[in-house]
Each structure stands twice: as structure tokens, then as C-alpha cells.
Amino acid sequence: MESTTMERPEPEPVTARRATHGGKKGFAFLLLLGVTAVVVCRVIDIDAFTPVPQLLAFLPWLLAPTGLALLLFALARSWTGLTWGVVLLGALAWYIEPYGKTTVPDGPALAQIRVMTSNVHFGDGTAALVKAVKRERPDIVFVEECQATCSATLRDTFGDLSGDKPAYPYRRAVEGYGSDGSVILSRHPLKGTDPIPGTMGMPGAVADVEGHRVRLQLAHPMPPLAGQVGTWRRELGALRAYAAADTRTPTIVAGDFNATQDHAAFRDLLDAGLGDAARLTGDDRRATWPSRTTPRFGAQIDHVLVSSKDFSARETRFLKLRGTDHNAVVADLTLHQRK
């Protein structure tokens, strides 16, 4: 009877194991280095330069690469990397919390106002917006990227040419093509104000809401594209200057801000005395863009901001409209008398 011997597998060379672990650690290091750069900018309150502003818009989702890096460091048994990753996770969790304190005016209610804002994507979402306006019946509508055809459709449907009793007899507009045009529609009388200068139209007005003056300003600053971050920051700064110029009159600033609460320039705007209606109703992390591709992993860049001493918010809703990559935002507000 022949005897058989079992051949033992040769052990993996130590150098091969080291190379494998080294590759994992190197990739994990790069992941954490990128996340750290973004978090440091958030900590020191700057938007820095491309690609930091773009990554800040999706700050909550930086948890994913941080978690992957932690796993790789764990497989490589790197305690230094694990400690680094845990610290980053803690920082991200801290900054994912809503920004700023919420204050609710305690003065008597003066009026109820429903506000809608919608970026209709070069006018492609106009038909869907018309249906939404008829269904939701907002008192004031802010429309961004409303080019000439969109503006004419809104006028024909709701304005001067829509019949004897137009639904929205008052409007302010910056007419334009592509993304340049913007329109404010209102059931309440409007007195025109100068638009805020910007790359895209940002009209403004003062509304007479049941005898009370309310400042209205449409927001649509340049997005923070590569090479355009300075313009984006400057135009958000102009919106902040508008808010800070009059802190006594009730104010609503609404539109596509191309910014989230994780951008320093947007937080500066909030610090001028404004509160986000979505923040007031607990919906501060609900994404509004891109609604057609990755809505669950998007960013909240469309906002209804209100002067904190004058308004409370009862409900904020987000509507998906066909033809545009932005969700519309509908906010039910209460105007209060200041004490």
C-alpha cells in the first residue's frame, strides 16, 4: 500500500502581504486626506476653491468614503488610520446637524402666506409648474430660469392676458433667455424695487400683504462652477447685503441659491437675520437637486428664507416637477407682529 503525503501550501510571502496592505492603506489615506481637506474648510468657515465648494454641497455623503477608509484601515490593522477616520466621522456628524438656532416669533399672527419657488430649467418645467401652481395656490411664486417663453406662458395663464380676474395680477420680472430670466408672481399688490445685479436675473419687490409691507427678493446667484467660485461668492454676498440693509421690514428671500447650509457664504446670509423655512419645519436636509438623477444623494440648494423675527413656518413641502432637475419648494408661513 502506497503512502501519500499531503503537500502543504507555501506561505504567502511577507512582501506580498505587505504590498497588499500597503495598497489598501494608500487608498484609504487618499480618501481621508480628501475628506479632511473639506472638513477643515468647514471648521475654519471658508469655502476655499474648487473642488471644495462643490464637495461641501454634499457634505453628509462624505460619510461614505470615510466609512470605506475606516474599513480598509481595519483590514490593514492601522490604528493610526482608524483613529483618524473616527475623528473625521465625529466631525462630519457634528456638522450634519442643522445650522443655527430656530426662533419662533411670539407676536400675534397678522397673515398667512404660502410661498412657492421653482427653478424650471431653462423653461422646460413651465407646464409642470403651471399645474403645480393651480393645485397648490401659493400667494407668491418665485420662478428661476424662466426664459421668454416661460414668462409669456405665466403671463397668459395667470397674469394680464388670462382673463378679467387674473389669479396673479402682480408680477416683477427680469426678462431673459436661457437661465437669465426670472419672475415673481403675486396675489398681493407689488411695488417694484431694483433687481440685485447678477449673472442671472434676481428681481425684487415690496408686497402689500393685508396692509403689511413685506420685502420680496428672488435669489439665483451663479453656481460655484470651476472658475466661477468668486462670482458665486460675490452674488451671495449681494443677497446678504440686501438682507442686512433693512432688518425692520418683514423679508422673504427665495429661489435657487446654488448653496447649502454647509457653505460659509450661505451661512453668512442666514446670519443676517434670516431663517430657512425648511430648517424651521425640520426638513433642512431634504435634497432639492438633482431631482432627476440622484435625488436621494442630492443637496438642498433651493430655499425659502424669511426674517426670523417676523415669520414662523407651519409646513414645507417639496414637489417633483416634470422637465426640471430641481424640486419646487412650497412653504406655508405665518407673518407675526413684532413685540
Side-chain angles (χ1 to χ4, degrees):
M1 182 177 179
E2 295 184 1
S3 62
T4 59
T5 58
M6 298 291 293
E7 293 186 2
R8 296 181 180 178
E10 293 184 6
E12 180 184 0
V14 174
T15 54
R17 291 200 299 269
R18 286 178 178 172
T20 301
H21 291 325
K24 292 176 181 176
K25 289 172 64 175
F27 182 58
F29 175 83
L30 291 176
L31 286 175
L32 289 194
L33 188 63
V35 174
T36 299
V38 176
V39 170
V40 167
C41 289
R42 179 66 179 84
V43 171
I44 63 178
D45 207 31
I46 63 170
D47 293 318
F49 45 82
T50 300
V52 173
Q54 294 85 348
L55 292 174
L56 278 169
F58 301 95
L59 184 127
W61 307 114
L62 295 182
L63 290 169
T66 305
L68 176 58
L70 272 172
L71 176 62
L72 294 176
F73 276 130
L75 293 174
R77 299 181 181 179
S78 171
W79 296 108
T80 301
L82 285 171
T83 302
W84 182 11
V86 168
V87 171
L88 270 186
L89 280 180
L92 288 170
W94 175 265
Y95 287 115
I96 286 172
E97 287 296 306
Y99 176 75
K101 297 179 179 179
T102 57
T103 58
V104 178
D106 54 4
L110 300 175
Q112 308 294 328
I113 308 173
R114 175 170 289 179
V115 173
M116 174 185 285
T117 180
S118 177
N119 180 322
V120 291
H121 192 258
F122 307 109
D124 295 341
T126 304
L129 174 65
V130 167
K131 294 178 182 178
V133 169
K134 290 179 177 179
R135 182 177 66 250
E136 300 293 332
R137 299 183 59 81
D139 299 293
I140 301 168
V141 187
F142 297 80
V143 190
E144 303 84 58
E145 297 194 17
C146 185
Q147 37 74 282
T149 302
C150 164
S151 180
T153 298
L154 296 180
R155 185 187 298 274
D156 294 348
T157 307
F158 299 118
D160 298 344
L161 303 180
S162 62
D164 295 335
K165 294 182 178 180
Y168 296 91
Y170 310 101
R171 66 181 270 150
R172 295 294 296 174
V174 173
E175 304 291 350
Y177 295 92
S179 63
D180 297 345
S182 292
V183 177
I184 301 174
L185 304 177
S186 176
R187 298 185 187 277
H188 304 287
L190 296 180
K191 179 181 179 181
T193 60
D194 293 333
I196 291 180
T199 308
M200 297 175 286
M202 293 192 281
V206 176
D208 181 346
V209 180
E210 300 180 21
H212 306 285
R213 295 177 70 248
V214 177
R215 295 198 304 161
L216 306 178
Q217 178 59 53
L218 185 145
H220 196 200
M222 190 70 180
L225 304 172
Q228 299 289 344
V229 172
T231 302
W232 166 76
R233 188 181 292 114
R234 183 169 59 253
E235 292 180 0
L236 280 170
L239 289 167
R240 186 195 188 284
Y242 165 84
D246 182 356
T247 59
R248 298 298 304 171
T249 305
T251 299
I252 300 173
V253 185
D256 171 11
F257 289 77
N258 283 307
T260 75
Q261 69 173 43
D262 298 307
H263 290 114
F266 186 73
R267 293 193 298 277
D268 285 344
L269 176 57
L270 293 176
D271 292 342
L274 300 179
D276 195 327
R279 166 76 169 98
L280 297 175
T281 58
D283 300 296
D284 52 284
R285 285 294 182 184
R286 178 74 175 268
T288 63
W289 175 90
S291 64
R292 288 191 296 201
T293 51
T294 55
R296 293 185 181 275
F297 302 99
Q300 188 178 101
I301 63 175
D302 302 88
H303 308 270
V304 175
L305 306 185
V306 297
S307 48
S308 301
K309 294 182 179 180
D310 302 294
F311 289 96
S312 61
R314 305 185 306 279
E315 183 182 14
T316 306
R317 288 173 289 117
F318 304 85
L319 311 178
K320 184 175 176 60
L321 302 183
R322 183 182 297 275
T324 174
D325 56 351
H326 289 254
N327 283 340
V329 181
V330 179
D332 288 329
L333 309 173
T334 300
L335 173 63
H336 296 263
Q337 180 178 320
R338 288 198 187 186
K339 286 190 173 182

